[in-house]
Amino acid sequence: MWRELLLGLGWLSLGGFHSLVAVESPRQLGLIPTSVELHTPGEHQTLLAILERAGLPSGMAEGVVFTSADPAVVEVSKDGVLTARANGSTKVSAECNGLSATASVTVRVEGGEAEWSFNRHVLPIMSKANCNGGGCHGALAGKGGFRLSLGAYDPEADFLNITRDALGRRIESADPLHSLLLTKPTSAAPHKGGRRLDPRSEDYRLLAEWIASGAPGPLPKEAGLDHIEVLPARWSLQKGQKIRLLVRAHYGDGRVEDVTRWAKFSSTDETMLRLSDANGGVEVTGYGEGAVTAWFSSRIVMSRILSPFPSEGEQGSPEVWKVRNVVDENVNAQLRQLNLTPSAAVDDATFLRRASLDTTGILPTPAQTRAFLEDQSSGKRDALIEKLLSSRDFTDYWTYRWSDLFLISGAHLRPEAVKSYYQWLRSEVEKNTPWDELVRHVVTARGSSMEQGATNFFAVHQEPEAMAENVSQAFMGLSINCAKCHNHPLEKWTNNQYYAFANLFSRVRAKGWGGDARSGDGKRTLYTVPSGELLQPKTGRPQPAAPLDAPPAPDTEGTDRREVLAEWLTSPSNPYFTRAVVNRVWAAYFGMGIVNSVDDLRASNPATNEALLNALCALLVEKKYDLKALMRAILQSATYQRS
């Protein structure tokens, strides 16, 4: 009776959460984007008419009527596509089933003809058609005598290969439609790659006009791409719904362009989300939380989509919604969003076995099990957690676990070096050295491999590139290897960023290395020299040494560049460092990471519960990188103690 009464009032108290959640809120109509500025004659921008509920997009509006208040300034099609016509400002409205919304539009056209940019327009068309993909002309040797940089990471070289290579035979400025750049991808001329371009499309017209205008190359002062965005960035949908996404590119000169038609989309979970077309169409095919990534010009963004399970009715007793700490707060919130009920708590025997295995790697003895089961005190689980965290077995087990991350292996090091390295790490685990301090010690290690065990981290990767790759993988969960040859195809890291990062290690040297850490007696001395640079192979010049997404390190003579790296790497403001270790610890206790795989924190691999990951990162920073504090929070949580 009480449930029906609360439902009738429009409110329902969920489980033991003690907060009121609206059962149903009215839908509203919204236009995305709400403000548009166009700069080129004939430039397009699509408006999405979406239905919103409780502040989240909940579906596409159907039967929408779009109207431009001044068609002389901007026209709008029945599908919501804006086309710039003349300078001015106006409003575009949308009406659907008694709901309405408006967007403001400004047109600032400079000059009378459209100016197509090689970087902004020509290369994106070729990328979307996959002309510069790894299986086509983006291959290392190219295809059919024509080579492009993978994913358009080298615009200057691409321009020369398109317009100058092979005596410029691919471009016919006097007769654009007979240019091989157009006849090949449309299959008007034989093309092993098949048809990649429709001669009736806007992209075909754009390429033809670019060729007719003299095929201008990259402009030296042209504003570069600042960032891209996907709209909407978050949805709450039901299985079976179909939606559409928009991608907009923001350039350094303030211009914003609709680049949806040139973006590449992919689903992070094909069992839940399916791409219905190549231009941002998505169909929800399952339940859970997933994401669709959009790639444009080596930048990746993500739209998250929530699809709740069918309601289970009663959401369990208050006891199953028990909250001990931030773990439970965020896990419970996610379960409620997905209409899922938590499992019941485990019995004492199961908790003892689970906590012992996850924390110390060994089973409790029969005597320990009997004592724990006979203990009737209310705080015995917390007492067990403290006992496990302070045990010698904990030190042994977590030294073993971290040994893999720190590359302690007899396959790479001589026995005496392994011993020195292992003893150093075990000592740090035993002292519960904060994670940031421990990593800082490793990254800046110097001295004898026998006396300063941490120096052996650099013994198995002796080139600057390998040092950079291993530091990135171990302590940030990022694989930057692909960026060694070209811009990373699945990440935002560029070829230049890779060599800037690797250049931080260019002055690291070792005496007695002999080219192999397994050779000789394994004794080495690690040190740095005051000069030396790593050359970027593409330019033959060094990239200014810099951490990822950070300013270049000051080039002060006698300063170890790794000090700058360590300061940046272990900073709480580094978005990867804290997430990486939190994710690894979570995976040790739950069998899989909040981001899975644990060493794959790229932008296109989303967390299953972003709020939880952020909360645990904040906790670890607050506890000054005390990993035992993080483990304690996990072990004490009702989430960990569920069946």
Side-chain angles (χ1 to χ4, degrees), residues 315-493:
Q315 292 211 338
S317 65
E319 183 61 27
V320 301
W321 291 99
K322 182 179 179 180
V323 173
R324 284 290 307 267
N325 52 37
V326 295
V327 174
D328 302 322
E329 290 173 3
N330 290 281
V331 170
N332 289 359
Q334 180 92 328
L335 292 174
R336 284 194 170 93
Q337 286 184 325
L338 294 171
N339 284 338
L340 294 175
T341 303
S343 302
V346 297
D347 57 30
D348 285 342
T350 304
F351 174 75
L352 173 63
R353 177 180 56 81
R354 178 187 295 175
S356 298
L357 282 172
D358 290 343
T359 308
T360 65
I362 58 176
L363 287 165
T365 66
Q368 290 170 333
T369 302
R370 282 192 293 269
F372 187 73
L373 296 180
E374 291 170 1
D375 187 350
Q376 299 301 311
S377 62
S378 60
K380 67 177 185 178
R381 291 195 179 187
D382 284 353
L384 172 68
I385 291 168
E386 295 306 319
K387 183 178 179 180
L388 292 172
L389 290 174
S390 60
S391 68
R392 180 189 178 106
D393 292 328
F394 172 89
T395 301
D396 290 338
Y397 180 59
W398 280 92
T399 303
Y400 159 75
R401 290 194 68 102
W402 294 129
S403 290
D404 183 50
L405 188 70
F406 286 90
L407 306 177
I408 302 179
S409 170
H412 303 294
L413 299 169
R414 297 291 291 168
E416 287 302 313
V418 171
K419 180 180 178 181
S420 172
Y421 197 3
Y422 177 84
Q423 288 178 338
W424 168 81
L425 180 59
R426 191 185 188 286
S427 173
E428 298 301 308
V429 173
E430 188 175 32
K431 292 184 296 185
N432 194 32
T433 301
W435 183 251
D436 59 337
E437 183 180 328
L438 190 152
V439 172
R440 193 180 301 116
H441 191 144
V442 170
V443 172
T444 60
R446 64 175 68 202
S448 167
S449 61
M450 300 305 173
E451 299 172 6
Q452 304 293 330
T455 63
N456 288 287
F457 180 76
F458 293 98
V460 295
H461 35 72
Q462 301 168 20
E463 302 79 25
E465 298 94 330
M467 293 179 185
E469 290 171 10
N470 280 281
V471 166
S472 175
Q473 190 78 73
F475 306 128
M476 294 188 289
L478 296 175
S479 176
I480 62 172
N481 307 30
C482 287
K484 183 176 182 179
C485 300
H486 46 70
N487 288 357
H488 201 300
L490 300 175
E491 257 288 8
K492 66 178 184 177
W493 311 120

Side-chain angles (χ1 to χ4, degrees), residues 53 78 102 106 159 179 184 214 253 292 321 349 387 453 463-464 485 512 516 544 546 622:
R53 177 171 283 158
K78 63 179 182 179
T102 60
T106 301
F159 176 72
S179 298
K184 285 278 190 178
D253 57 3
V292 173
W321 291 99
K387 183 178 179 180
E463 302 79 25
C485 300
D516 182 2
E622 178 189 342

